[in-house]
Amino acid sequence: MLDTTAAKQLPEELCVVCDRYKEYGIRLYTSYLCIECEKEIISTETSDPKYKYYLEQLKKVTSS
């Protein structure tokens, strides 16, 4: 039987967009994008001023 008290919580990582530590998200090369920011980016229209902000933040993502 699996002991649920022994389950390890995943470490939080710093989101490249919102600059907050979050537990759930995706890894983009060496950067991290939280699930909340991912959803916001996907649902934001390109004409919305927030879209430009998201693009600027995503420029921080590096492949090295």
Side-chain angles (χ1 to χ4, degrees):
M1 182 176 262
L2 180 63
D3 181 9
T4 57
T5 59
K8 293 183 180 178
Q9 183 176 356
L10 294 175
E12 293 182 338
E13 294 192 56
L14 184 63
C15 176
V16 71
V17 174
C18 67
D19 291 324
R20 295 184 182 156
Y21 284 93
K22 301 286 184 97
E23 183 177 350
Y24 300 104
I26 59 172
R27 180 147 290 288
L28 303 169
Y29 297 106
T30 60
S31 300
Y32 178 77
L33 179 66
C34 74
I35 195 81
E36 291 90 357
C37 287
E38 178 189 9
K39 288 179 182 178
E40 276 292 314
I41 292 168
I42 291 169
S43 65
T44 302
E45 295 292 327
T46 56
S47 58
D48 189 321
K50 288 191 298 184
Y51 191 77
K52 185 175 180 181
Y53 168 76
Y54 293 137
L55 288 179
E56 289 300 316
Q57 292 300 96
L58 288 172
K59 287 180 182 179
K60 297 178 188 177
V61 175
T62 60
S63 61
S64 54

